[in-house]
Amino acid sequence: MRINSKRGDVPLALLVIIALVFAVAALFAFASYGGKFQTNSEDFSKLTFDLRMYEDYIFKSAEIIGREAIVQGGDVEKNMQKIEAERMLRIKEFGNFFGKIRTGEFEFNDNGDGYMLNVNDVFVIVQNGDNSIKRNFDVKIEFDKDGKARNIYK
């Protein structure tokens, strides 16, 4: 008399049931997907564009303020602080650049044939809804004696 073993029947049945549950869950996920990849991509693209624009704005502002400080003559660091105080730009997205200029946390050195502006640990922040990006960088610009920017180190 031969006895057939039925030890594999219960695990096989459970495997089939689990596979069906996962298949139904996957179908439900596909059916309920809203297609938000393009919206998220557009939001991220806007964030990165704004971040780059604010960073470029800071470098261009540093170049303009630095040129004006050199052209005025005398102590270029004090001139730069005075120019920034007159403009009083306090925009949150521009981070701490203008605050560093106001408080004197920068170097504007005469290197013989020109000037070197160094502002370390500058940041810009952009936000869109729950998303935000913060970029840290240093502003370094080399000027000639006439105030024209020779090199901008990004």
Side-chain angles (χ1 to χ4, degrees):
M1 182 166 182
R2 188 171 174 167
I3 300 175
N4 289 335
S5 173
K6 294 188 179 192
R7 285 188 279 163
D9 290 346
V10 172
L12 182 62
L14 286 175
L15 188 62
V16 170
I17 292 171
I18 291 172
L20 286 174
V21 167
F22 280 134
V24 169
L27 289 174
F28 179 73
F30 288 140
S32 64
Y33 172 67
K36 295 180 183 176
F37 281 139
Q38 184 173 359
T39 304
N40 291 341
S41 177
E42 290 171 357
D43 291 345
F44 185 71
S45 178
K46 182 180 178 338
L47 281 173
T48 55
F49 175 80
D50 289 348
L51 186 71
R52 185 66 180 171
M53 187 208 41
Y54 294 148
E55 184 178 348
D56 289 344
Y57 182 84
I58 285 175
F59 274 96
K60 197 59 167 172
S61 295
E63 181 182 345
I64 292 169
I65 294 171
R67 177 178 39 242
E68 290 177 14
I70 292 170
V71 168
Q72 286 181 6
D75 186 355
V76 289
E77 287 186 0
K78 290 197 187 305
N79 290 346
M80 194 155 177
Q81 286 179 309
K82 186 177 105 184
I83 292 167
E84 197 288 321
E86 291 170 356
R87 295 182 180 189
M88 287 184 29
L89 293 172
R90 290 184 177 90
I91 300 172
K92 181 180 81 170
E93 286 84 2
F94 295 148
N96 63 346
F97 173 73
F98 296 106
K100 284 185 174 270
I101 300 300
R102 267 192 308 278
T103 59
E105 297 178 50
F106 67 97
E107 297 175 359
F108 210 153
N109 301 320
D110 187 349
N111 59 10
D113 62 336
Y115 295 90
M116 178 63 99
L117 171 65
N118 288 319
V119 186
N120 295 320
D121 302 323
V122 175
F123 66 84
V124 291
I125 298 174
V126 292
Q127 294 180 329
N128 188 0
D130 293 335
N131 300 320
S132 68
I133 300 176
K134 178 180 178 181
R135 179 176 288 169
N136 298 309
F137 56 95
D138 296 332
V139 176
K140 295 183 180 186
I141 302 176
E142 186 178 350
F143 295 92
D144 63 12
K145 287 288 188 184
D146 298 325
K148 183 179 179 190
R150 283 191 279 201
N151 290 315
I152 299 173
Y153 304 98
K154 290 188 179 185

